[in-house]
Amino acid sequence: MRVRMSTSPHILLVDDERRFAESLQQILLAEDYPCTIALSGEEALELLREKLFDLVLLDVDLPNMNGVETLDCIKELFVTMPVVMMTGNTAVETAVAA
């Protein structure tokens, strides 16, 4: 059973670069957006099964299960879950896949 932890919009931030994720988390918290960090696609899916989130910020370049594969799993579980894909990769193929 998934439960909402607060009444504020809650964001799941998925990025394997801890320093980047923590920096973005601080920016979001300063704007009153609670943010939980997952360092992998697998961890993100576990968290999504446990808690309700209002938005997922998802890095494309993740180890093991990449962001596009993670997105596919999220959409199978939660058809209407809003997901914003993030990447530093400028390849057109990456943008098209996402």
Side-chain angles (χ1 to χ4, degrees), residues 59-70:
D59 185 22
V60 171
D61 297 318
L62 295 171
N64 302 324
M65 174 187 274
N66 70 38
V68 175
E69 294 167 332
T70 304

Side-chain angles (χ1 to χ4, degrees), residues 47-75:
L47 287 167
L48 284 164
R49 287 182 183 105
E50 295 171 8
K51 288 198 300 192
L52 292 174
F53 291 91
D54 299 290
L55 173 68
V56 178
L57 297 178
L58 178 58
D59 185 22
V60 171
D61 297 318
L62 295 171
N64 302 324
M65 174 187 274
N66 70 38
V68 175
E69 294 167 332
T70 304
L71 175 63
D72 289 341
C73 291
I74 291 171
K75 290 302 178 181

Side-chain angles (χ1 to χ4, degrees), residues 1-64:
M1 176 186 188
R2 297 175 306 134
V3 296
R4 182 172 304 285
M5 300 304 288
S6 72
T7 57
S8 300
H10 197 112
I11 298 169
L12 177 60
L13 171 59
V14 187
D15 198 301
D16 61 318
E17 294 184 35
R18 183 181 297 274
R19 287 181 56 202
F20 172 78
E22 289 173 348
S23 294
L24 185 52
Q25 181 183 45
Q26 291 306 310
I27 292 167
L28 291 167
L29 284 172
E31 297 296 325
D32 294 323
Y33 292 106
C35 181
T36 298
I37 294 173
L39 298 174
S40 69
E42 296 90 351
E43 183 180 357
L45 294 172
E46 287 177 30
L47 287 167
L48 284 164
R49 287 182 183 105
E50 295 171 8
K51 288 198 300 192
L52 292 174
F53 291 91
D54 299 290
L55 173 68
V56 178
L57 297 178
L58 178 58
D59 185 22
V60 171
D61 297 318
L62 295 171
N64 302 324

